[in-house]
Amino acid sequence: MSAQTRAPRDAEELASGHLTATREDARTARRRSLALLGSLLRPVQARAWATVALVVLAQAAQVAGPALVAVGLDRGLPALRAGDAGPISLVTLAYLATALLGGLLTAAVVRVSAQVSQAVLLDLRRRVFRHTQLLSLEFHERYTSGRIISRQTSDLDAFRELLDGGVTTLATSVLTMVLTAISLAVLDWRSGLVLLVAVVPGIVLTRHFQVRSQEQYRRSRTASARLIVRFVETMTGIRAVQAFRRERREAGRYGALAEDYRATSNAAIRLHGRFDTGLTLIGNLTVATVLLVGGLRAMNGDLTVGTLAAAVLYARRFFTPLAQIGMFYNAFQAAVAALEKLSALLAEEPSVAAPVHPVPLPAARGDVRFEGVEFGYGDGPTVLPHLDLHLPAGHTVALVGETGAGKSTIAKLLARFYDVRDGRVLLDGVDLRDLDPRDLRRAVVMVTQEAYLFSGSVAANIALGRPGATRAEIEDAARAVGVHDVVMSLPQGYDSPVDKRGVRLSAGQRQLVSFARAFLADPALLVLDEATSSLDVPGERLVQEGLSTLLTGRSAVVIAHRLSTVMGADRVLVVHDGRVLEDGSPGALVEAGGRFAELHAEWRASLR
Amino acid sequence: MPSDPGGAVPAPSAPRRVGAVVSRLGTWLRPVLPRLVLGGLGALGASLLALAVPQVLRWVVNGPLIGGGNLSAVVAAAGLVALLGVLEAFLVWTRRALIASPGTTAEREMRTALFDHLLDLPIAFHDRWAGGQLLSRSMSDLSMLRRWMVFGLVMLVVSATTVVVGVVLMLSTSWPLGLVYLTGAVPVIWLGFRFREDYKVIARRARDQAGDLATTVEESVHGIRVLKAFGRGEDALEEFAQQADELRGTEIVKARTLSRVTFALGTVPEVVLALTLGLGVWLAARGAADLGDLVAFFATAAVVNAPVERLGQLLAMTMDARAAADRFFEVMDTEPALTDPAHPLPVPPAPPGGSRVELSGVHLRFGAQQPGARDVLDGLDLVVEPGETLALVGLTGSGKSSLLGLVPRLMDVTAGSVRIDGVDVRDLRRADVRAMVAIAFEDPVLFSAPVAENVLLGVRGLGEDEALVRAEQALAVASADFVADLPQGIATVIGEEGLSLSGGQRQRVALARAIAARPRVLVLDDPLSALDVSTEAVVTQRLRSMLAGTTTLVVAHRPSTVALADRVAVLEDGRITGVGRHSELLATHPHYRYVLTALAAEHAEPAR
Ligand SMILES: Nc1ncnc2c1ncn2[C@@H]1O[C@H](COP(=O)(O)OP(=O)(O)O)[C@@H](O)[C@H]1O
Ligand SMILES: Nc1ncnc2c1ncn2[C@@H]1O[C@H](COP(=O)(O)OP(=O)(O)O)[C@@H](O)[C@H]1O
Ligand SMILES: [Mg+2]
Ligand SMILES: [Mg+2]
């Protein structure tokens, strides 16, 4: 990202240490991330504890094996020698039973922990998806699609690592350590004290690892997001990349980011390696210390050699699961870094907020008012300085003006893609900010120049206008805009997949499909923003015929460059620099001899 | 939101055997193999040492301490244990340090190789493949492969070695008991095989579904405007949630399969041990076995059972890695359908009067077309004379954009040929063709980069100042004055990571890009569609004088765009049905009149 970009994108990037990250920010981020983790785990609490219980039982069944062998050899064998096969049969049967039980329990742990982890992941996926859909366009314009995708894929994977292995290993390891420590304390509490001493360097090491790895994993998350952003952008623009021979250069840029990502992952792995080594070292040296202290006491006769042997072995066993706990902690750190990114995304407030007390508008008429509206994008320059406008219901109003005049901006305010800085926009007398979003979407539909099709069938793409529409209704909508024949010529008709972004259709056909959506949606107010720009003249005419039936008694705001579209409107507004310069019926404006009259003359001339 | 999981993914190729996968991975493994082997040996050494340390402890406690009881013996013993502890920690460290970087290096190499290959694959491939499927391959599949190479593979070898050595030890301790233990291998191997068959299918499905989920996320973000305009966020969420739930279902089936093998691998060895316990005691009672042997046998068995149990997880990881590798190689093995010729011809010298483009007998057919349907281009002949500007006019969907794509060889003809200055474009290197031809697409593609960089995409070998002048000139021709008003002028970052531009603004930047390349052949796909009438008039005028001498092919939907051209060609039913001046065609060609003039609607043909 170069220095020319606007202000810091968001708190998230601040916290990632790439810009001036303060410790406060880092701490807030971590706290928020842990809060998210807590809220994700709460609903599965019961099952999570059940998993832990299963782990404990499975562990117990496994420990029982060697004990039974000992009993078999110590009791069963003498008894059998004495002619009594009872004890050894009993032991064998008991062993068989624990074997089966242990296997069943371990298998159950695998299942239940997968259920828990998948439930949590599904919950998180849904939350992130819902939230990104709620966030306003202003957010999407600065966050980039690649980063949202990286949140939903790579960050989620990092979190998943923790859920998948983490909890079971942690439970097993902690259990082993606790049981061993208790045994040791009971056996010889003085040796137990030596273990306590080891806790000090252990805490220092862990703290060191925590701070460093937290930073490292944050970096790693950012590096992976950048890699994904680049990947997505290059693949989306692959046509231009190939046509302008930018392959080598794109490969170079991507390669550099891939190396960044490698370096950060590598550093994180090495950090974990050092942590692991440190833990092993502390454990082993503690065992040597227990031996030394115990040995000295044994020399003085304060300790029997047998007890010493047992104490040393216990100490050794105490530290064995430490590597696993280290692994868990490592996965935890990676997951926290990922959750930091995710929670930052979830903490974004939609700048176009849903109303607290939504006003319903079940049957909108389509009467629009702009009252003293001032607007600009983000904190950028003012685009509409002061707009007062009344568009009565039932009229078709055309907006004309140069590119950049602010026509689309007016349209987007109407559809409440953004909120005004000052003044208000009213639909049927209700401020858009108070209107129930569902009623608003039902009442106002906007079709833009970019006809985005989703992968899936043609029918599904049209049905987006009104989910649940019947096939007949879908076909009627397609017929109305003149795309029915085209669709029927596809191999599977309406069920034909359109492929990525609808590449199987020509640009004009894609526009027709998105028109069909609007037909199906059947709104009270239809906003068309250069929606016919890629259509040929006959196609446009057909759409217009369809529109004129659709629009009878309805309101429409049409933005078009071709006057053929504009001349059919009831009223024309000429927009310039965010202000309305001329306002009247097309005929009247041509008469009046202003800008519109000029445009009209040019257009007439171009037809010859 | 319509979605078509899997629909955009070509059927998976036949799964490979693990051995085949390893040998394919060899390309990336070989350079890092020495470190990998050394690291593996470190791992083996550390785990052997970990096994040996308890023995040493026992020996130390029982030997020197019991024997002498003097200070130096105690200190020496503790020192020895400490030394071994340090050695173990060192081995842990070497393993981590040695394996980490080859793993991440191999991952990066594979990732960049995949990216390079994707850049090389033609547009047709990218149209067919969903974005999320490619992304998930490059991120999560490759990271899975790395983890398998440095952990799974190494642990598999270490565990298998431990098991084999242990079983040999057990056989040598007591062959009848060892044989009984070995019989346990029969069901384990059989179950393992069954597991492999089941699991590999599900592992693949889970990865494919994760890819589809990524696609849905990508589309939901790229299509956010449509979803917002129709208020379909909730429906999109429902569909996403359903898809995510399917993935969850698959993951749970995966866990269930894994739990079965976990059960088998955990239970069978223990059951067999229970039986050997009974048998061993019976043998010992009859004097056919020695008690010491029995103790040694069961001690070894306890050591062997742990890696046996671990085999289940490792096998699952291996299958996951294999699915990941299959998915990776599926893309890597796709031969680009459009390649450089084996013996490319030199670029023909540029004729002084301009280049000549000749399409003869061109057929173009898409794989996804209906079987009986006519080819999109059906034996088309067209010549663009040196230096002239030829407009291409036809209904939407008539094949204009497809035709344009043939000239810079973004697509290949199905039959016939495209020649530039007498040389078939298929006989030239792609880069050479694309250096001769610059294109402006119907949907302008901008990259997250400064305006200047976007404009200079096709410019090579100019100094910084010259390049800037070139960019400014091109922007002036495209009448992109708005650039001067951007916050940092021509250095302003635009595209996803920068400032948003309106449709007309984007189109002008894309037009400037094609112009700035100063190609021999300029190909413009409806380059003025998003411009308002007065801007269009200015651009047309400037473009016209700039184009003098450059062979240009321009798609036109409006008479105003046709004004750019010297001659016009009419594309109808896959062929050129008329070539001539605008006024001639208007007078003589009914289809031309129908396509281009709204005023002549009365003379129009009936509906298409
Ligand atoms: N998403 C956006 N972010 C920032 N500025 C924008 C955005 N969209 C448009 N603008 C700016 O607002 C002004 C008006 O644009 P717009 O309403 O799209 O014009 P029109 O539709 O009349 O061509 C232009 O200067 C444009 O650069
Ligand atoms: N990738 C594709 N797969 C299948 N059909 C396609 C593909 N691309 C274009 N077509 C079909 O080819 C025809 C011509 O498309 P196109 O060249 O984009 O038309 P236009 O003349 O409007 O530019 C259309 O009917 C379209 O459906
Ligand atoms: Mg606009
Ligand atoms: Mg086209």
Side-chain angles (χ1 to χ4, degrees):
Chain A
M1 222 171 303
S2 51
Q4 288 106 340
T5 25
R6 289 167 291 184
R9 293 183 172 278
D10 48 33
E12 179 214 348
E13 204 129 302
L14 274 174
S16 71
H18 278 272
L19 302 170
T20 46
T22 64
R23 296 184 98 179
E24 297 303 299
D25 286 331
R27 212 166 298 145
T28 327
R30 193 173 169 92
R31 205 173 307 130
R32 196 166 48 196
S33 140
L34 293 176
L36 174 62
L37 182 61
S39 82
L40 286 168
L41 291 179
R42 215 160 297 127
V44 293
Q45 230 172 13
R47 272 186 292 170
W49 284 117
T51 315
V52 172
L54 282 173
V55 169
V56 171
L57 289 176
Q59 197 67 8
Q62 264 172 7
V63 172
L68 285 170
V69 170
V71 175
L73 295 183
D74 293 350
R75 303 258 175 85
L77 184 55
L80 190 61
R81 280 200 176 121
D84 180 9
I88 185 61
S89 314
L90 215 61
V91 167
T92 307
L93 284 177
Y95 197 167
L96 278 174
T98 56
L100 276 173
L101 192 68
L104 282 175
L105 285 167
T106 320
V109 168
V110 172
R111 283 182 193 215
V112 178
S113 64
Q115 276 167 10
V116 171
S117 106
Q118 289 299 322
V120 170
L121 285 175
L122 181 64
D123 182 15
L124 183 56
R125 282 200 172 104
R126 281 188 62 126
R127 282 197 212 184
V128 174
F129 193 94
R130 178 196 294 274
H131 197 75
T132 47
Q133 285 294 321
L134 279 182
L135 285 167
S136 37
L137 283 184
E138 193 235 313
F139 165 84
H140 285 277
E141 278 163 4
R142 85 187 135 81
Y143 200 81
T144 74
S145 56
R147 277 167 74 205
I148 293 180
I149 297 168
S150 89
R151 297 292 95 96
Q152 278 275 29
T153 54
S154 152
D155 291 346
L156 241 112
D157 281 347
F159 177 46
R160 188 192 161 161
E161 295 276 297
L162 174 70
L163 291 176
D164 272 2
V167 182
T168 30
T169 39
L170 184 68
T172 320
S173 310
V174 168
L175 188 70
T176 314
M177 288 181 84
V178 168
L179 288 181
T180 315
I182 291 174
S183 312
L184 181 59
V186 169
L187 184 77
D188 175 39
W189 63 269
R190 272 177 251 260
S191 296
L193 277 187
V194 178
L195 287 195
L196 271 186
V197 176
V199 167
V200 177
I203 286 177
V204 171
L205 179 69
T206 306
R207 178 72 197 151
H208 169 84
F209 173 73
Q210 185 198 326
V211 173
R212 302 283 293 276
S213 72
Q214 192 179 347
E215 215 168 278
Q216 201 53 52
Y217 278 116
R218 263 184 207 144
R219 255 183 233 141
S220 171
R221 287 296 94 215
T222 309
S224 119
R226 288 198 177 156
L227 195 60
I228 290 176
V229 167
R230 195 102 291 281
F231 187 95
V232 170
E233 187 174 287
T234 311
M235 291 306 145
T236 312
I238 188 76
R239 269 162 212 276
V241 170
Q242 293 195 346
F244 290 93
R245 298 164 289 136
R246 295 313 267 196
E247 292 96 335
R248 200 106 46 81
R249 190 182 159 118
E250 289 302 324
R253 282 166 83 173
Y254 184 80
L257 289 175
E259 169 54 25
D260 269 359
Y261 180 46
R262 186 203 73 81
T264 54
S265 328
N266 201 30
I269 296 173
R270 301 194 91 161
L271 209 55
H272 176 215
R274 287 212 292 278
F275 181 50
D276 196 11
T277 309
L279 287 179
T280 312
L281 199 61
I282 291 175
N284 287 350
L285 291 182
T286 311
V287 173
T289 313
V290 169
L291 179 61
L292 184 65
V293 173
L296 293 177
R297 281 165 61 214
M299 255 173 54
N300 297 339
D302 295 346
L303 193 69
T304 68
V305 174
T307 316
L308 172 62
V312 172
L313 286 177
Y314 273 134
R316 169 83 198 167
R317 198 192 295 166
F318 177 78
F319 287 108
T320 313
L322 214 55
Q324 310 246 296
I325 292 185
M327 220 132 89
F328 167 82
Y329 195 60
N330 184 49
F332 178 76
Q333 288 290 84
V336 167
L339 286 176
E340 271 176 22
K341 299 283 177 189
L342 285 158
S343 61
L345 174 59
L346 290 174
E348 290 275 351
E349 295 282 344
S351 62
V352 174
V356 186
H357 304 292
V359 178
L361 188 64
R365 291 175 295 118
D367 175 285
V368 175
R369 252 175 219 285
F370 282 71
E371 286 182 355
V373 166
E374 189 202 324
F375 178 75
Y377 292 91
D379 41 17
T382 307
V383 175
L384 306 177
H386 186 90
L387 191 66
D388 281 306
L389 204 58
H390 181 212
L391 312 175
H395 288 261
T396 299
V397 178
L399 298 183
V400 296
E402 294 183 4
T403 22
K407 306 179 298 290
S408 302
T409 305
I410 295 176
K412 287 186 270 187
L413 289 181
L414 251 178
R416 204 181 171 219
F417 278 9
Y418 305 86
D419 274 341
V420 295
R421 278 185 189 165
D422 197 17
R424 47 190 200 150
V425 182
L426 307 171
L427 177 67
D428 291 350
V430 183
D431 192 323
L432 292 189
R433 284 168 295 196
D434 299 329
L435 195 56
D436 187 325
R438 259 167 305 170
D439 286 340
L440 172 65
R441 293 299 163 211
R442 201 176 306 126
V444 182
V445 157
M446 174 151 142
V447 183
T448 64
Q449 191 181 13
E450 294 115 277
Y452 190 91
L453 300 199
F454 296 91
S455 56
S457 68
V458 180
N461 265 293
I462 296 177
L464 196 118
R466 175 149 49 93
T470 65
R471 181 52 65 86
E473 287 168 327
I474 290 173
E475 289 186 15
D476 283 345
R479 249 184 228 110
V481 300
V483 77
H484 177 73
D485 293 340
V486 175
V487 177
M488 289 316 286
S489 74
L490 296 173
Q492 291 123 283
Y494 280 86
D495 295 318
S496 310
V498 296
D499 280 9
K500 191 150 74 183
R501 279 160 234 271
V503 286
R504 276 207 207 172
L505 300 175
S506 77
Q509 292 165 345
R510 287 200 289 276
Q511 283 198 337
L512 289 175
V513 169
S514 72
F515 247 112
R517 277 177 190 158
F519 259 78
L520 199 57
D522 195 17
L525 171 61
L526 184 61
V527 184
L528 304 176
D529 187 359
E530 301 184 27
T532 51
S533 62
S534 292
L535 289 186
D536 51 40
V537 178
E540 195 184 358
R541 194 158 49 225
L542 215 73
V543 167
Q544 261 164 30
E545 279 160 23
L547 272 182
S548 59
T549 34
L550 177 77
L551 292 180
T552 36
R554 282 168 206 279
S555 318
V557 173
V558 180
I559 301 172
H561 293 313
R562 296 190 209 177
L563 292 217
S564 48
T565 311
V566 173
M567 291 311 283
D570 300 315
R571 181 176 164 201
V572 175
L573 302 175
V574 179
V575 184
H576 187 74
D577 276 349
R579 286 171 220 274
V580 176
L581 291 191
E582 295 171 26
D583 182 351
S585 75
L589 288 185
V590 170
E591 295 271 300
R595 260 167 202 269
F596 186 73
E598 273 171 43
L599 290 179
H600 186 254
E602 275 173 37
W603 174 65
R604 297 288 306 190
S606 77
L607 291 177
R608 245 150 254 140
Chain B
M1 182 179 31
S3 67
D4 178 21
V9 196
S13 57
R16 269 159 252 269
R17 304 193 60 83
V18 172
V21 169
V22 172
S23 76
R24 275 303 303 273
L25 286 176
T27 324
W28 287 282
L29 274 175
R30 211 160 297 127
V32 299
L33 203 60
R35 295 188 70 159
L36 206 61
V37 169
L38 273 179
L41 287 179
L44 203 60
S47 72
L48 289 182
L49 202 60
L51 282 179
V53 166
Q55 311 304 321
V56 174
L57 284 177
R58 200 169 277 137
W59 172 76
V60 163
V61 171
N62 293 340
L65 289 180
I66 294 176
N70 60 12
L71 185 66
S72 59
V74 170
V75 171
L80 175 65
V81 169
L83 199 68
L84 284 177
V86 172
L87 184 63
E88 188 192 351
F90 175 72
L91 283 174
V92 168
W93 181 80
T94 32
R95 177 187 141 217
R96 296 277 183 180
L98 281 173
I99 284 186
S101 92
T104 53
T105 305
E107 183 187 0
R108 187 206 57 198
E109 293 293 317
M110 293 200 291
R111 185 165 286 139
T112 49
L114 177 65
F115 192 77
D116 292 351
H117 189 64
L118 286 174
L119 287 176
D120 197 39
L121 284 165
I123 305 293
F125 171 91
H126 289 276
D127 285 348
R128 219 171 53 235
W129 278 71
Q133 287 295 352
L134 298 179
L135 180 71
S136 60
R137 278 164 170 83
S138 97
M139 296 305 289
S140 82
D141 286 351
L142 291 183
S143 106
M144 174 78 230
L145 274 177
R146 174 197 27 102
R147 271 177 291 139
W148 180 72
M149 284 193 291
V150 302
F151 179 79
L153 185 58
V154 171
M155 287 313 284
L156 204 60
V157 172
V158 171
S159 302
T161 313
T162 315
V163 171
V164 169
V165 170
V167 168
V168 168
L169 276 176
M170 283 156 76
L171 275 171
S172 68
T173 313
S174 161
W175 65 264
L177 296 185
L179 277 183
V180 172
Y181 189 78
L182 254 190
T183 52
V186 177
V188 165
I189 288 174
W190 181 71
L191 282 168
F193 191 76
R194 282 261 324 262
F195 163 71
R196 220 185 68 168
E197 294 303 305
D198 295 347
Y199 195 84
K200 78 180 175 202
V201 179
I202 310 162
R204 175 68 205 238
R205 193 186 308 146
R207 298 201 154 261
D208 285 346
Q209 285 178 344
D212 285 335
L213 209 57
T215 305
T216 304
V217 171
E218 179 178 342
E219 292 195 341
S220 77
V221 183
H222 282 151
I224 185 80
R225 283 177 186 77
V226 173
L227 293 176
K228 283 213 182 283
F230 286 90
R232 291 288 166 258
E234 282 295 315
D235 301 271
L237 172 67
E238 274 322 300
E239 225 161 296
F240 170 81
Q242 197 188 329
Q243 233 178 316
D245 198 38
E246 271 167 33
L247 173 60
R248 183 184 71 104
T250 308
E251 290 288 352
I252 286 183
V253 173
K254 212 166 107 179
R256 208 177 297 147
T257 316
L258 176 61
S259 81
R260 278 205 294 274
V261 81
T262 308
F263 172 71
L265 288 174
T267 311
V268 171
E270 293 283 332
V271 164
V272 176
L273 268 193
L275 296 178
T276 40
L277 177 63
L279 179 66
V281 168
W282 182 71
L283 286 176
R286 302 189 52 193
D290 179 63
L291 183 58
D293 285 352
L294 282 189
V295 173
F297 180 88
F298 285 107
T300 319
V303 176
V304 171
N305 273 1
V308 169
E309 219 185 305
R310 205 160 50 218
L311 279 179
Q313 290 284 357
L314 290 174
L315 213 59
M317 188 177 185
T318 305
M319 291 295 118
D320 275 323
R322 190 178 120 161
D326 277 340
R327 279 163 52 85
F328 171 64
F329 287 124
E330 212 167 82
V331 174
M332 292 305 283
D333 289 347
T334 308
E335 290 291 336
L338 200 152
T339 51
D340 288 335
H343 307 288
L345 293 181
V347 180
S355 286
R356 186 182 141 100
V357 179
E358 185 182 356
L359 292 89
S360 42
V362 167
H363 283 262
L364 179 70
R365 186 172 188 84
F366 291 101
Q369 263 181 271
Q370 204 161 21
R374 168 179 64 71
D375 292 356
V376 169
L377 300 181
D378 198 17
L380 172 141
D381 298 301
L382 180 66
V383 177
V384 192
E385 296 295 348
E388 81 164 338
T389 298
L390 181 78
L392 191 62
V393 170
L395 287 174
T396 183
S398 59
K400 304 178 296 295
S401 300
S402 310
L403 188 156
L404 257 46
L406 298 175
V407 182
R409 210 177 162 223
L410 292 172
M411 279 187 295
D412 263 344
V413 294
T414 314
S417 67
V418 178
R419 291 167 189 278
I420 299 177
D421 292 327
V423 182
D424 193 319
V425 291
R426 284 167 300 182
D427 292 332
L428 294 167
R429 277 193 203 90
R430 281 170 295 176
D432 290 340
V433 179
R434 291 167 192 170
M436 287 195 281
V437 183
I439 186 166
F441 295 103
E442 218 165 2
D443 307 312
V445 181
L446 300 186
F447 294 97
S448 302
V451 177
E453 197 181 323
N454 267 293
V455 172
L456 295 170
L457 210 58
V459 176
R460 297 296 134 85
L462 282 191
E464 210 168 298
D465 296 339
E466 287 167 295
L468 205 61
V469 171
R470 174 77 68 87
E472 274 164 358
Q473 280 172 352
L475 285 166
V477 173
S479 185
D481 337 313
F482 66 88
V483 171
D485 299 333
L486 296 177
Q488 282 93 23
I490 199 166
T492 312
V493 176
I494 52 173
E496 253 213 317
E497 291 180 54
L499 208 66
S500 313
L501 298 181
S502 77
Q505 293 171 332
R506 283 208 304 274
Q507 197 171 40
R508 276 178 281 169
V509 173
L511 179 61
R513 173 192 293 165
I515 296 168
R518 301 251 172 106
R520 283 158 71 167
V521 179
L522 194 57
V523 176
L524 307 173
D525 198 347
D526 207 6
L528 310 175
S529 65
L531 302 190
D532 61 283
V533 183
S534 35
T535 313
E536 184 183 14
V538 178
V539 178
T540 311
Q541 192 204 350
R542 293 186 189 164
L543 205 53
R544 188 136 179 120
S545 57
M546 194 248 117
L547 291 180
T550 305
T551 309
T552 307
L553 186 58
V554 54
V555 167
H557 274 138
R558 301 195 233 177
S560 47
T561 316
V562 171
L564 276 174
D566 303 309
R567 292 191 304 155
V568 187
V570 186
L571 179 58
E572 185 184 359
D573 296 332
R575 291 169 195 230
I576 300 296
T577 56
V579 182
R581 299 175 56 81
H582 174 61
S583 49
E584 287 165 26
L585 288 173
L586 218 48
T588 59
H589 201 299
H591 185 70
Y592 184 69
R593 210 160 43 229
Y594 169 64
V595 173
L596 217 57
T597 58
L599 290 185
E602 307 83 72
H603 320 290
E605 297 172 8
R608 282 164 279 172

